[in-house]
Amino acid sequence: MTIRLPQPQPLPGAGAGAGGESRVYVPRAEPARFTTGGAALASRTVFSAAHVVADPYADAAWDSPAAVDWDATLAFRRHLWSNGLGVAEAMDTAQRGMGLDWAGAAELIRRSSAEAKAVGGMIACGVGTDQLGPEGGSLTQVREAYEEQLALVEASGAQAIIMASRALASAADSAEDYLSIYGHLLRQASEPVILHWLGPMFDPALEGYWGSADLDVATSVFLDVIAAHPDKIDGIKVSLLDAQREIDLRRRLPEGVRCYTGDDFNYPELIAGDERGFSHALLGIFDPLGPLAAEAVRILDTGDVEGFRKVLDPTVELSRHLFQPPTRFYKTGVVLLAWLAGHQSHFTMVGGLQSARSLPHLSRAYELADGLGLFPDPALAESRMKSLLEVYGVTQ
């Protein structure tokens, strides 16, 4: 069997015409064989940030409150837990602030936390300020919004991930405002939390977080927050797509504070680490890579760094493709791969975000994932990809 995939075409005005060129791709006949289930991961703590499955039958506009297929959404989390991964819930990958509002996120946190308790899965949930909406609010309102969400996450029994806040980025006038807000939250937290520094490549509204667009200055403020409350911080998640900066930062952390890589470009080397330490993981790319990522870490558990890299290094090309600029739209490729892999019955996203990437981009994502053997049923993936191509007018 073969499939015709579109070639990228020039932008309008550069000579592009209707009905662009395509090429023939031969899908693999069998999936790669990854071990599923098995012992808990030992050498690294690994979370996958998980996507939400939209309800395709809901009569909802793109800017309406998210209509979520709860059964399919929770089933995907059980898939991740069954492979030994933790779930990072209601994060950027779940379209937090890009289709999923606070009411939807709160329901997601409650349902997923209950499911985690039922199956013995590890879960941590995002705490933000998105109930303030795009208009933001004062520093007092930002603090109160964080407090409300922290209380809900802790009441659900999940670990809290204190997310970067658009509203705080807008309201803060100086580094002291960040030190004050985070210090207040950390004093209130009943259990150690994960602090999440999300870079502006994931959300442009977070430019200048920690009070400065100079990353060296921002890092110093971030470290000041951590140094003031090391007993309340389990770890930090760094999503700056800069491997050396992450390495430098993790070497400056107080003893006992972990670094969870959020670098979807350089994760194999950061998780493998060096003679001075390593990163744990909290990654959106582990949503489509679940079984493979778990197998790689189990190899690492034996001390076989080379074997770990042999499994995980080939996935970086796919990850860099999904997370290419505009990086915030990586969720579209993640959901495409979940559909092609059979984890959901449709390619629809809350907020209509399935339209956020081009057909050539999606086609390349399919090709790279197929090459890695990620699809449990390659024939199903091929059939579904052909149906998508046909909607766009690509004849087979």
Side-chain angles (χ1 to χ4, degrees):
M1 298 291 289
T2 62
I3 182 171
R4 300 194 69 84
L5 300 176
Q7 297 276 52
Q9 298 296 302
L11 293 174
E21 296 179 359
S22 62
R23 58 189 173 80
V24 173
Y25 172 69
V26 180
R28 63 186 298 152
E30 298 289 338
R33 299 298 178 186
F34 306 120
T35 302
T36 57
L41 307 184
S43 62
R44 305 290 187 271
T45 300
V46 180
F47 290 95
S48 167
H51 74 281
V52 293
V53 183
D55 179 355
Y57 299 107
D59 187 10
W62 69 270
D63 56 350
S64 299
V68 176
D69 181 336
W70 294 111
D71 289 342
T73 294
L74 294 176
F76 188 77
R77 279 131 184 85
R78 290 193 295 272
H79 156 72
L80 294 172
W81 285 319
S82 73
N83 283 285
L85 303 177
V87 168
E89 189 57 277
M91 302 290 290
D92 184 57
T93 307
Q95 295 180 244
R96 189 80 179 266
M98 290 185 68
L100 188 72
D101 63 10
W102 167 236
E107 184 67 12
L108 179 63
I109 289 166
R110 285 189 287 263
R111 288 177 182 254
S112 291
S113 296
E115 194 73 16
K117 189 178 299 184
V119 303
M122 181 171 61
I123 189 168
C125 298
V127 170
T129 63
D130 41 333
Q131 64 267 57
L132 296 177
E135 66 276 6
S138 67
L139 285 174
T140 297
Q141 290 172 313
V142 168
R143 188 195 71 234
E144 291 173 347
Y146 264 134
E147 288 174 340
E148 177 189 356
Q149 296 199 16
L150 177 61
L152 185 145
V153 169
E154 290 192 333
S156 76
Q159 183 178 21
I161 304 172
I162 308 297
M163 301 168 65
S165 162
R166 295 174 181 174
L168 180 54
S170 176
D173 291 324
S174 65
E176 285 68 30
D177 290 333
Y178 288 89
L179 292 168
S180 174
I181 293 291
Y182 276 87
H184 181 86
L185 288 172
L186 290 168
R187 285 190 294 272
Q188 285 198 344
S190 60
E191 299 291 340
V193 308
I194 298 172
L195 295 184
H196 184 192
W197 183 0
L198 189 70
M201 67 288 294
F202 288 92
D203 187 344
L206 299 176
E207 182 71 43
Y209 211 74
W210 305 112
S212 178
D214 183 323
L215 288 179
D216 291 334
V217 174
T219 297
S220 294
V221 176
F222 188 42
L223 286 167
D224 286 344
V225 170
I226 298 164
H229 307 277
D231 59 321
K232 288 296 188 76
I233 301 172
D234 163 64
I236 63 168
K237 177 187 186 303
V238 188
S239 299
L240 299 175
L241 304 184
D242 183 333
Q244 191 57 52
R245 183 169 294 278
E246 179 176 321
I247 292 168
D248 293 342
L249 177 56
R250 79 184 182 201
R251 289 175 177 173
R252 298 170 66 185
L253 293 174
E255 186 174 356
V257 176
R258 306 188 228 196
C259 181
Y260 293 89
T261 187
D263 188 333
D264 300 277
F265 283 6
N266 304 292
Y267 50 94
E269 64 184 271
L270 292 165
I271 297 169
D274 55 30
E275 68 283 355
R276 295 178 60 183
F278 57 83
S279 295
H280 299 272
L282 197 165
L283 288 161
I285 190 56
F286 282 3
D287 179 301
L289 294 183
L292 184 151
E295 178 164 294
V297 175
R298 287 194 175 94
I299 293 171
L300 188 60
D301 288 346
T302 70
D304 183 0
V305 176
E306 183 179 350
F308 165 80
R309 295 293 299 266
K310 184 177 180 180
V311 172
L312 210 56
D313 280 1
T315 68
V316 171
E317 184 179 7
L318 170 64
S319 188
R320 292 191 175 201
H321 176 74
L322 295 182
F323 285 79
Q324 67 183 222
T327 300
R328 63 188 181 278
F329 295 131
Y330 75 87
K331 301 96 164 171
T332 303
V334 165
V335 174
L336 171 82
L337 298 183
W339 173 54
L340 296 178
H343 293 298
Q344 57 192 76
S345 62
H346 58 85
F347 179 42
T348 307
M349 299 176 68
V350 298
L353 210 65
Q354 68 272 12
S355 64
R357 290 293 202 187
S358 70
L359 185 64
H361 177 93
L362 300 176
S363 298
R364 181 60 177 159
Y366 159 75
E367 182 179 359
L368 290 170
D370 180 72
L372 291 168
L374 292 185
F375 302 130
D377 184 345
L380 174 66
E382 179 185 349
S383 173
R384 289 185 168 184
M385 192 67 206
K386 283 180 176 177
S387 71
L388 179 65
L389 293 165
E390 288 168 4
V391 168
Y392 280 81
V394 180
T395 57
Q396 297 297 315

